[in-house]
């Protein structure tokens, strides 16, 4: 992937020396490597184009390999390609040519401008000056989307093979302007499980309780229940459980200037405690022997 700074990997996988936890972590929306051609085609300035980023979520969770779990993080930005969508949720009005027959152009997300190749960034600003060449579909989806999902699926399946089950934690951030809860409160973290379908209830309860015990204001599925990744990979009957976390950006970042603020390290430490405690509780509840080498 060619960026303004030169070639860049499309995504990064960091694995522990030995995987000791039945977890896989993903950060699909924290990419900050903007392709040069994309920036030239955009009508937005340097700040506006970044409004869809899940700011620094990959860095908030970069400790997980040290605890014994792998992590995959996209390097391309969400506004260029959104891997938390179906592979071909595409708006035909964006392209100068016919889309593949498999394209889903009728989804609610496409109608809202937030398909696999988005039309807008946050705050509903249009990204492009002109229609895109239809060849961009193959460049982005076949070149980046499909390899990302192949790598994520391989991590999940290897974890399930090794431990007998796998827990995917899909990590995101949300703007501090997210809807107010009853009583005037705002959520610190939203735990999403696709309304009880993507993970076993006891795992979701463990995650929610551990976060609450660390002092976070936690809600479940409101306003975010999980996207395509949670829905696609969460198959509790097959032993694959997917949980989405949405973290309030104001807890750790300056949203206007796209910078970590003084609370970043404290937030990272609290999340380290959460992962360690959650993993220990999962292990204790299962009362199983250590995983095979």
């Amino acid at each position: 992937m060619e960026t303004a700074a030169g070639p860049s990997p499309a995504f990064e996988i960091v694995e522990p020396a030995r995987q000791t936890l039945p977890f896989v972590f993903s950060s699909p929306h924290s990419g900050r490597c903007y392709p040069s051609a994309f920036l030239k085609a955009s009508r937005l300035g340097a700040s506006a184009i970044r409004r869809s980023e899940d700011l620094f979520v990959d860095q908030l969770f970069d400790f997980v390999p040290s605890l014994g779990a792998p992590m995959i993080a996209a390097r391309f930005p969400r506004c260029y390609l959104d891997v938390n969508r179906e592979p071909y949720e595409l708006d035909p009005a964006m392209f100068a040519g016919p889309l593949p027959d498999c394209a889903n152009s009728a989804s609610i997300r496409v109608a809202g401008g937030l398909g696999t190749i988005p039309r807008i960034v946050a705050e509903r600003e249009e990204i492009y000056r002109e229609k895109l060449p239809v060849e961009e579909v193959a460049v982005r989806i076949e070149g980046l989307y499909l390899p990302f999902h192949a790598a994520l699926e391989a991590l999940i399946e290897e974890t399930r093979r090794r431990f007998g089950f796998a827990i995917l934690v899909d990590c995101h951030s949300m703007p501090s302007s997210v809807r107010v809860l009853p009583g005037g409160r705002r959520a610190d973290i939203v735990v999403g499980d696709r309304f009880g379908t993507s993970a076993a209830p006891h795992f979701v309860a463990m995650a929610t309780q551990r976060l609450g015990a660390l002092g976070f204001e936690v809600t479940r599925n409101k306003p975010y229940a999980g996207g395509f990744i949670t829905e696609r990979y969460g198959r509790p009957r097959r032993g694959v459980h997917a949980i989405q976390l949405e973290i309030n950006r104001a807890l750790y970042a300056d949203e206007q200037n796209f910078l970590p603020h003084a609370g970043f390290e404290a937030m990272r430490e609290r999340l380290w405690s959460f992962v360690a405690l959650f993993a220990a509780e999962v292990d204790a509840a299962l009362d199983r022997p250590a995983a095979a080498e």
Side-chain angles (χ1 to χ4, degrees):
M1 185 176 66
E2 189 70 28
T3 70
S8 172
F11 54 88
E12 181 180 12
I13 298 172
V14 182
E15 298 188 73
R18 185 172 74 92
Q19 185 173 354
T20 57
L21 301 182
F23 287 78
V24 174
F25 287 78
S26 70
S27 180
H29 286 166
S30 57
R32 298 178 289 281
C33 297
Y34 287 79
S36 305
F38 171 66
L39 293 175
K40 290 177 183 177
S42 174
R43 57 183 294 274
L44 299 177
S47 294
I49 198 72
R50 297 190 63 187
R51 289 178 182 163
S52 293
E53 280 182 27
D54 281 357
L55 293 174
F56 313 115
V57 167
D58 54 338
Q59 295 177 13
L60 281 176
F61 286 92
D62 66 4
F63 59 82
V64 295
S66 70
L67 291 178
M71 180 169 182
I72 181 171
R75 290 294 168 233
F76 49 83
R78 175 189 188 180
C79 60
Y80 179 73
L81 176 71
D82 193 341
V83 291
N84 200 24
R85 299 288 183 262
E86 296 174 20
Y88 290 93
E89 285 189 79
L90 300 170
D91 183 349
M94 291 177 59
F95 298 91
L99 293 174
D101 292 340
C102 61
N104 175 6
S105 299
S107 80
I108 294 174
R109 293 179 288 212
V110 168
L114 296 171
T116 314
I117 297 177
R119 176 172 54 82
I120 64 171
V121 293
E123 301 182 23
R124 308 197 65 79
E125 292 195 73
E126 297 278 342
I127 296 173
Y128 298 100
R129 294 191 184 93
E130 301 174 347
K131 289 188 176 184
L132 296 173
V134 75
E135 290 77 17
E136 279 297 302
V137 172
V139 169
R140 301 188 198 186
I141 295 176
E142 295 177 18
L144 300 175
Y145 180 103
L146 296 179
F148 178 91
H149 276 278
L152 175 57
E153 185 168 11
L155 289 172
I156 292 170
E157 286 304 308
E158 173 58 22
T159 300
R160 188 171 72 93
R161 184 200 66 77
R162 179 182 291 266
F163 295 90
F165 73 107
I167 299 174
L168 169 65
V169 182
D170 198 39
C171 305
H172 298 259
S173 70
M174 58 187 175
S176 59
S177 58
V178 69
R179 293 194 296 272
V180 177
L181 300 170
R185 298 169 295 120
R186 293 187 187 274
D188 294 327
I189 297 180
V190 179
V191 177
D193 66 350
R194 298 296 300 174
F195 301 103
T197 63
S198 69
H202 56 280
F203 289 145
V204 181
M206 287 177 192
T208 303
Q209 290 163 7
R210 288 302 99 217
L211 289 165
L214 288 166
F216 293 112
E217 185 76 59
V218 184
T219 63
R220 183 170 168 182
N221 291 317
K222 294 183 179 180
Y224 303 106
F228 175 76
I229 288 174
T230 311
E231 182 178 19
R232 162 68 178 82
Y233 294 104
R235 295 289 184 268
R237 291 185 180 179
R238 290 189 63 245
V240 179
H241 308 268
I243 297 171
Q244 178 178 282
L245 299 182
E246 291 273 1
I247 301 169
N248 190 322
R249 289 176 201 148
L251 296 175
Y252 67 89
D254 178 339
E255 297 172 90
Q256 299 304 312
N257 294 306
F258 308 102
L259 294 169
H261 64 45
F264 181 89
E265 284 303 323
M267 185 67 187
R268 187 174 176 277
E269 289 175 9
R270 291 169 80 187
L271 290 172
W272 188 99
S273 297
F274 158 67
V275 174
L277 291 167
F278 183 23
E281 190 168 3
V282 168
D283 190 69
L286 293 170
D287 191 26
R288 59 173 175 74
E293 293 294 335

